[in-house]
Amino acid sequence: MGCIPTPTEALELVKKYNSEPFHIQHAETVGRVMAYFAREYAPEEEDFWQTVGIMHDIDFEKWPEQHCVRARELLTELGMDERLIHAVICHGYGICIDVAPEEYMEKVLFAVDELTGLIGAAALMRPTGLEGMEAKSLNKKFKDKKFAAGCSRDVIRQGAEMLGMELGELFAKTIEAMRAE
């Protein structure tokens, strides 16, 4: 069994390989969203879920063309636990790696990674940010393919399906999780 860092240690590792404020903020956001979901589905693993969320893009800034593949190598070199490695890399399933999410936690990460970007972009367009945002208004932005075009709607849909959730439910829970930050 390898190492599983605390969320604080995970963030320090991410900062070692990422310097862009956006990447650091995204890591923190996804980590907090994962912790929020863990409180409902696996409260005993909240720190682990948060650590996975924080570390999911550890390789993206330095090696974007080898995203997830390089993460596996890096995390193995760092002596990380295999469960952590699998969870981190499978969020790129069908995009940059052929490792599928298996655990519920991995499916949550797959679903919310892109979705947090879409929600963040929608919040920037609102005078009240996340406050008062509803799934219904986010769905309008989701349907507008030009809005936050870099956020894959297909990945978000696939993630919702993996979780057995309707899009509206996933939107509402993720908005709530981001608001709880």
Side-chain angles (χ1 to χ4, degrees):
M1 184 168 181
C3 175
I4 299 175
T6 65
T8 302
E9 293 166 340
L11 186 58
E12 289 309 308
L13 270 173
V14 167
K15 288 177 179 177
K16 183 176 176 183
Y17 296 96
N18 294 268
S19 59
E20 290 290 324
F22 174 81
H23 292 139
I24 307 295
Q25 181 185 16
H26 177 64
E28 292 175 309
T29 298
V30 174
R32 284 193 294 267
V33 168
M34 291 296 291
Y36 181 90
F37 273 81
R39 286 196 241 11
E40 181 176 345
Y41 297 103
E44 71 285 353
E45 290 205 303
E46 183 177 339
D47 281 356
F48 180 69
W49 284 42
Q50 185 173 5
T51 291
V52 168
I54 290 168
M55 294 182 75
H56 81 283
D57 278 347
I58 193 166
D59 64 340
F60 189 77
E61 188 175 314
K62 286 191 179 219
W63 304 283
E65 301 302 319
Q66 297 175 297
H67 183 41
C68 294
V69 173
R70 188 64 181 107
R72 180 195 326 249
E73 295 167 4
L74 176 63
L75 296 175
T76 300
E77 289 168 15
L78 293 171
M80 296 296 154
D81 185 79
E82 184 53 43
R83 182 173 174 233
L84 173 74
I85 294 170
H86 188 276
V88 164
I89 67 170
C90 71
H91 85 278
Y93 177 63
I95 304 161
C96 55
I97 201 157
D98 63 357
V99 178
E102 295 168 3
E103 290 188 33
Y104 194 78
M105 175 264 303
E106 295 170 343
K107 294 172 184 178
V108 170
L109 177 60
F110 183 87
V112 303
D113 179 27
E114 292 287 312
L115 183 53
T116 59
L118 183 73
I119 293 169
L124 290 174
M125 304 298 291
R126 299 169 42 87
T128 57
L130 288 168
E131 195 58 43
M133 183 186 292
E134 294 180 10
K136 189 170 74 175
S137 63
L138 182 64
N139 195 44
K140 290 177 186 168
K141 298 290 189 192
F142 181 81
K143 289 178 179 178
D144 179 359
K145 292 182 182 11
K146 291 179 183 166
F147 179 78
C151 297
S152 171
R153 274 60 168 176
D154 290 338
V155 167
I156 295 168
R157 269 191 215 91
Q158 189 179 358
E161 285 175 26
M162 283 181 190
L163 294 170
M165 282 187 196
E166 295 294 323
L167 276 174
E169 180 185 3
L170 179 62
F171 291 174
K173 282 185 178 224
T174 308
I175 291 167
E176 194 175 309
M178 289 176 70
R179 203 179 286 135
E181 293 183 359

